[in-house]
Amino acid sequence: MEIGISTYLYRDADIFEGLERLSTIGYRFIEVEAQCLPDSLSGNEGEVAEIARYAKSLGLEVHSVHLSKCPEDIGGRDARLRRKGVEWIKRTIDLCRAFEPKYVGIHRGGLWEDLSDPEHFRDVQRWTIESVAEIAEYSKQRGMKLEIETSGGYCDVKAIKEIISPFPRDQVGILVDIGHCWRARRRDPIWAIREAGERLFCVHVHDNHQGEDEHLVPGEGTIDWPGVVRALKEVGYQGVFMLECFRSRKTQDKDTIALLAKRAAEKLLSA
């Protein structure tokens, strides 16, 4: 496995400086978080292209782009808002084409819905599948594979497998967010990895204490990281060990967090 890191760490800083720091620290693979870019509604393709060129000049390869802040739920009950969410994702995919990513990651539908009612849960699954069908085809036409993230307090990989089951295995997969699964309780990230199996496209790596979504450096929370790495090897995962850390119990300095995260990942993967 290769080690990568999300630019989310530099979401409230200068993205050009952040990319330079990541390159200096020794990262090769990155995930571009859309929150670090001009909003897709602004249509500022020129600025995004400049960021992409700079990343490439530093030897950084954009493995994926992550669209974490879609303004509307693509699995919500309001069809008009679902349409707005899908259109936002499509516009942002177009904005991110300059990075030439292999994957585009989105959150599952129903993120803000009450899923305790079985009938409503089935509706949310159906609405989400309809949205994902359009987004997956749009991504494919632009040379990207689509990954659905385990997100929020609901990280049921079986439900996400149901969402992606109508689509080709090599085009639509699962992004297991290790920290989100641990925070959700009863959703062990080791189980999530094994359940995702061959549909596992990527992982987000960060730690917590099974409470707040802390996004700590691996080893600073309570996740069983040796177990996580074993599970990844068991399912034959060959993707990027993508760090999504933006906090540390040792420092608030962004560059130091990136360095500590890289060292922690190297230690885990070499064991």
Side-chain angles (χ1 to χ4, degrees):
M1 275 177 277
E2 301 284 355
I3 296 170
I5 191 167
S6 169
T7 63
Y8 193 86
L9 175 63
Y10 295 98
R11 68 197 181 282
D12 54 357
D14 185 286
I15 185 61
F16 292 96
E17 292 182 4
L19 292 172
E20 183 178 359
R21 298 291 192 277
L22 294 179
S23 176
T24 300
I25 290 167
Y27 283 99
R28 177 187 169 196
F29 295 95
I30 61 171
E31 176 174 85
V32 172
E33 168 55 55
Q35 291 187 59
C36 299
L37 305 175
D39 187 84
S40 61
L41 296 177
S42 70
N44 197 342
E45 291 90 351
E47 185 175 349
V48 174
E50 184 180 357
I51 296 169
R53 285 192 296 270
Y54 190 63
K56 189 173 184 178
S57 75
L58 294 170
L60 295 170
E61 181 177 329
V62 178
H63 175 265
S64 51
V65 294
H66 191 231
L67 316 186
S68 66
K69 288 296 182 182
C70 180
E72 304 297 345
D73 191 339
I74 63 169
R77 67 178 69 234
D78 188 319
R80 181 181 59 85
L81 296 182
R82 293 200 302 273
R83 168 50 44 193
K84 286 181 65 176
V86 169
E87 291 301 324
W88 181 90
I89 289 172
K90 289 164 64 176
R91 285 194 298 271
T92 308
I93 287 173
D94 283 336
L95 194 68
C96 291
R97 290 181 72 182
F99 293 106
E100 300 179 351
K102 296 178 181 177
Y103 299 93
V104 56
I106 63 172
H107 286 180
R108 59 165 182 80
L111 198 61
W112 304 307
E113 294 287 324
D114 179 1
L115 302 176
S116 60
D117 177 67
E119 184 175 351
H120 184 55
F121 172 76
R122 288 192 293 272
D123 286 337
V124 168
Q125 290 288 90
R126 175 170 53 83
W127 296 327
T128 301
I129 290 170
E130 291 171 357
S131 295
V132 167
E134 183 173 347
I135 297 166
E137 180 61 27
Y138 200 80
S139 303
K140 181 180 179 180
Q141 292 172 359
R142 283 147 185 80
M144 306 177 202
K145 298 181 180 183
L146 180 65
E147 51 189 23
I148 313 297
E149 181 184 352
T150 56
S151 47
Y154 177 76
C155 294
D156 192 339
V157 173
K158 288 185 177 180
I160 297 178
K161 286 175 74 174
E162 179 182 318
I163 291 168
I164 68 174
S165 62
F167 310 108
R169 293 173 182 269
D170 63 347
Q171 185 59 39
V172 183
I174 300 173
L175 164 56
V176 170
D177 187 300
I178 307 298
H180 289 169
C181 289
W182 187 238
R183 180 192 177 209
R185 305 178 187 274
R186 300 188 302 279
R187 296 299 176 191
D188 179 6
I190 297 173
W191 170 86
I193 291 166
R194 289 172 175 157
E195 182 64 29
E198 64 180 6
R199 300 303 294 262
L200 180 63
F201 275 8
C202 193
V203 291
H204 275 173
V205 177
H206 54 96
D207 214 335
N208 62 62
H209 294 84
Q210 218 171 27
E212 294 297 318
D213 193 16
E214 297 168 278
H215 284 259
L216 296 170
V217 169
E220 295 186 359
T222 54
I223 292 175
D224 174 11
W225 289 106
V228 166
V229 173
R230 283 195 299 272
L232 290 171
K233 292 178 179 178
E234 285 174 14
V235 301
Y237 180 69
Q238 298 294 319
V240 175
F241 197 69
M242 189 64 71
L243 295 155
E244 198 187 38
C245 314
F246 54 83
R247 293 193 184 99
S248 170
R249 299 177 69 182
K250 299 176 182 178
T251 181
Q252 295 183 359
D253 180 73
K254 297 179 188 300
D255 302 341
T256 306
I257 292 171
L259 178 60
L260 290 173
K262 185 171 183 290
R263 288 175 175 171
E266 289 170 341
K267 184 176 180 181
L268 284 169
L269 297 180
S270 65

